[in-house]
Amino acid sequence: MARLSDAADTDKGWGLKRLWPVWEQAKQEVQPLWATLRPYLFVSPATLIFILFFIYPILFLIYISFTSWNLISPEKEFVGVANYIELFRSADFRQVMGNTVVYTVLTVSLSLVLALFLALWLNRKGVLHGIIQGAIFSPYIISLVSVSLLWLWMMDPQFGLLNWVLSWFGFPPSPWLTDPNTAVYGLVLVSVWKVIGYNTLVFIAGLQSIPKEIYEAADLDGASFWQKLTRLTLPMLSPTLFFLLVINTINSFQVFDIVQIMTQGGPVNSTNMLVYFIYENAFNFFKIGYASAAGVILLFMIGLLTIFHFMFLAKRVHYQ
Amino acid sequence: MAYVLRVLKWFEYVALILVGLIFVFPFAWMFLTSFKSLGEVFQFPPQLLPEAWLWENMKTAWESGPFLTYFFNSLIVTVGILILQLITGVLAAYAFARYQFKGRDLLFGLTLVALMVPPQITFVPVFLQMSHWGWLNTYLSLIIPYAASAFGIFLLRQAFRQVPEEVIEAARLDQASEWKIIWRIMVPMARPVLVTFGLFSFIYHWNDYFWPLVMTNQEEIRTLPIGIAMLKDASSGGVMWNVVMAGNLILVIPILIIFFVAQRQIIRAFVYSGVK
C-alpha cells in the first residue's frame, strides 16, 4: 500500500496520480458488496472441504449400498435392499456384529469403572499423584500401531512378558490372541489400557468442577464418606459419565487398527469387527456395494448415539 | 495413630507406583527389547536387561525399508495438514464468531456434522472419489480431506468470541482492515488455543494409520506408522521382535518428547476440548 501511494505522489511512471481517485472511488462503491460477500468467502474453504469429504461421501455411501457395484465391472446395477438382506442372512456378519458389541460393552464398561475409581483416588494435589496421572495418560497419545505391536509382543504365547508375569502368581500360560475363545478379551485389554488415562483425566476434570461449598455443607451435616460419594459426587458427575459413555461407545464401534495389526480378524473370525469387515469386503473382495451397506449400518448406529447425546446436552442446558 | 497414618501413606505411595508401572513399564519393555539379541528375545523366562546393548537393531530396522522416505512423508503430511487447518480454521472461525450473515447457522450445522462423522464411515466413498480423480498414492489424498478441521473451528470460534468487542472497534477506528484484525489481533490473542489445537492435530495425524493405509499402496508415498507396522512381516520365519521394537521407538520417541515438554497443554488439548 505504502508503495502505491508513494508512486501516486510523483508524476512519473504510470500516471497513478490521476488514476488514484478513480481507484479510491471504486473501492468506496465496492465496499458494501465486499462486506456482504466477505463472511461467505471466509467460510468457503472449510465448507468446501466438509461438503466434498464428509457430506457428499455420506450420500454417495448410501447410494452405493443399494447397488451391486464391485470394482471389477464398471456397471452399477441398482439392487434395492439386496445387500442389506445378504448382510443379515450372513452368519459371518452376525458374528462380526456380535464381536463388535461384546468388545464395545466390555471395553467401555471396564475402562469407565476403573477410570472412575482411579479418578477418585488420584484427584489430589500431590506431586506423585500428578506424575501418576501423566503416566496413565501417556498410552493415549501413542500411535495405535506402536501400542498394537508392543502388546502383540507382550502377548506372545511362548516368549511374551505377560505369560511370565502370570507365572509369578502360579497361573498357567495363556494363549492370548491365538485362541478364538480368548482373543477378543486380549483386544479389550489393550484398548482399556490405552483409553483409561483419557477417561480418568476427564473424570478428574469433572470432579474439580463440583463446587467445594457443597462438600463443606455436607460435612457440617455430618455426612459420612460413603454418603458424600453416593449422594453428592456421583450425581454431580453424571453429565461427565454420560459424555464418556457416548464418546467411548462411538470410538469402540469404530475399532480397526488393533484388529488389522494384531489379529486380522482371526483366529476363525473371532475378532473380526465392523470396520475391519467393511475394509476387507471393499478392498480384498471388491464387494463395494455390500461393504457400503455395512457402512450405512455403522453410520446409522453412530448417528443414533450422536442424536441421543445432543438431546441430552440440550436438556442439560435447559436445566441450568 | 499418627504412626498408622504414616504407614497407610507409604502403602498408598507403593500402590500408586504399581499402578503407574502398569502404564509405563510396557514402554520400558519396548525400549529394552529393542537392544536385545534375537537369542535373548526367544528365551523364556526373559531377562530384564539385554546382555549387551545392541544398537544394530535400530540400524536393521531403519534399513529394512525406505524409512527416510516414510519419515519425510509423515512430516510433510502432518505439517501440511496443520498449516491448512490453521488457515481455513482461523478464517471460518472468525466469520462464525464475528459476522452476522444469512445461512450462518446452516453452515455451522454443516461443521457440526463434519465433527461427528469419523473417517471410518467415509473411507469407502472417498477412496472411490480419489481413485476417480487419480489422487490415490499422492500427498493430495492424504492432506486435502483434512485441510479443514471442524474441531479446530469450534475451539477457535469460542476463543474469538471471548475477545472484547472494544478491541475490534478500536482497530476499525484506526482503519485496520479485517484481514489485519484477524492476523494481527485475533490470532495473537487466541495463541493458547492455537497451540492446544496444533498439538492435537500434530499428534493425531502423526499417529494416523487408517487413512494412509486406505489411500496408498506404494512405499514412496506411505507414512511412518505403515512402515513400522510392515516391519512385523518383514522377515520370513518368526517376527524379529527386537527389530520391530527398535523401529517402534522411531515412532514413539518424538511423541513422548513432546509429551514430556508440553504435558499440560497436551492433556488440555485432548481432555478439556472434549468436555466443553
Side-chain angles (χ1 to χ4, degrees), chain A residues 110-132:
Chain A
L110 272 176
S111 67
L112 285 184
V113 169
L114 291 174
L116 181 59
F117 170 76
L118 282 171
L120 291 169
W121 182 16
L122 294 176
N123 183 24
R124 244 145 264 175
K125 279 278 175 280
V127 176
L128 189 60
H129 291 82
I131 294 174
I132 301 298

Side-chain angles (χ1 to χ4, degrees), chain A residues 33-44:
Chain A
L33 180 67
W34 174 229
T36 321
L37 285 180
R38 194 160 42 206
Y40 299 101
L41 209 68
F42 282 0
V43 298
S44 61

Side-chain angles (χ1 to χ4, degrees), chain B residues 204-216:
Chain B
Y204 180 90
H205 293 287
W206 179 266
N207 288 341
D208 190 23
Y209 176 68
F210 181 65
W211 198 259
L213 182 76
V214 170
M215 295 303 157
T216 66

Side-chain angles (χ1 to χ4, degrees), chain A residues 54-284:
Chain A
F54 292 89
I55 309 295
Y56 172 69
I58 290 176
L59 301 175
F60 194 33
L61 179 80
I62 296 170
Y63 163 69
I64 318 165
S65 77
F66 294 112
T67 70
S68 64
W69 198 7
N70 56 45
L71 284 183
I72 301 145
S73 76
E75 62 193 285
K76 284 174 256 184
E77 197 197 332
F78 187 79
V79 294
V81 292
N83 286 323
Y84 293 91
I85 292 171
E86 195 189 335
L87 271 180
F88 287 115
R89 282 201 183 139
S90 146
D92 269 0
F93 182 70
R94 280 205 299 268
Q95 194 188 0
V96 164
M97 288 306 284
N99 291 339
T100 314
V101 169
V102 167
Y103 165 85
T104 301
V105 169
L106 284 178
T107 304
V108 173
S109 53
L110 272 176
S111 67
L112 285 184
V113 169
L114 291 174
L116 181 59
F117 170 76
L118 282 171
L120 291 169
W121 182 16
L122 294 176
N123 183 24
R124 244 145 264 175
K125 279 278 175 280
V127 176
L128 189 60
H129 291 82
I131 294 174
I132 301 298
Q133 281 181 27
I136 293 178
F137 185 74
S138 59
Y140 189 69
I141 54 164
I142 297 300
S143 171
L144 272 167
V145 171
S146 303
V147 169
S148 302
L149 291 172
L150 173 60
W151 279 83
L152 195 57
W153 162 223
M154 293 201 300
M155 286 176 168
D156 190 285
Q158 262 183 293
F159 307 107
L161 180 74
L162 291 192
N163 277 345
W164 187 39
V165 173
L166 284 183
S167 74
W168 299 348
F169 302 99
F171 287 109
S174 164
W176 299 108
L177 301 172
T178 54
D179 182 330
N181 294 314
T182 54
V184 81
Y185 304 114
L187 295 188
V188 169
L189 177 63
V190 178
S191 303
V192 169
W193 181 80
K194 186 167 199 303
V195 82
I196 203 166
Y198 173 78
N199 290 345
T200 304
L201 291 190
V202 174
F203 271 134
I204 287 178
L207 285 173
Q208 285 173 353
S209 68
I210 302 175
K212 297 274 176 296
E213 297 82 47
I214 302 184
Y215 287 102
E216 283 160 17
D219 283 336
L220 281 179
D221 289 345
S224 71
F225 171 79
W226 187 249
Q227 280 173 325
K228 278 189 281 183
L229 179 68
T230 53
R231 307 258 175 88
L232 265 184
T233 310
L234 293 184
M236 294 293 277
L237 213 53
S238 63
T240 312
L241 180 67
F242 184 79
F243 164 79
L244 284 176
L245 195 64
V246 173
I247 293 293
N248 278 274
T249 308
I250 290 177
N251 287 339
S252 293
F253 253 106
Q254 300 162 23
V255 60
F256 174 83
D257 296 12
I258 59 171
V259 177
Q260 211 264 347
I261 296 169
M262 297 183 80
T263 65
Q264 290 87 47
V268 287
N269 221 29
S270 63
T271 58
N272 195 352
M273 291 191 247
L274 191 48
V275 176
Y276 190 73
F277 177 86
I278 298 170
Y279 176 87
E280 254 196 329
N281 274 287
F283 300 127
N284 295 351

Side-chain angles (χ1 to χ4, degrees), chain B residues 186-216:
Chain B
M186 301 305 266
V187 166
M189 286 185 92
R191 231 190 82 176
V193 174
L194 286 168
V195 171
T196 299
F197 171 69
L199 286 167
F200 175 85
S201 171
F202 184 88
I203 293 173
Y204 180 90
H205 293 287
W206 179 266
N207 288 341
D208 190 23
Y209 176 68
F210 181 65
W211 198 259
L213 182 76
V214 170
M215 295 303 157
T216 66

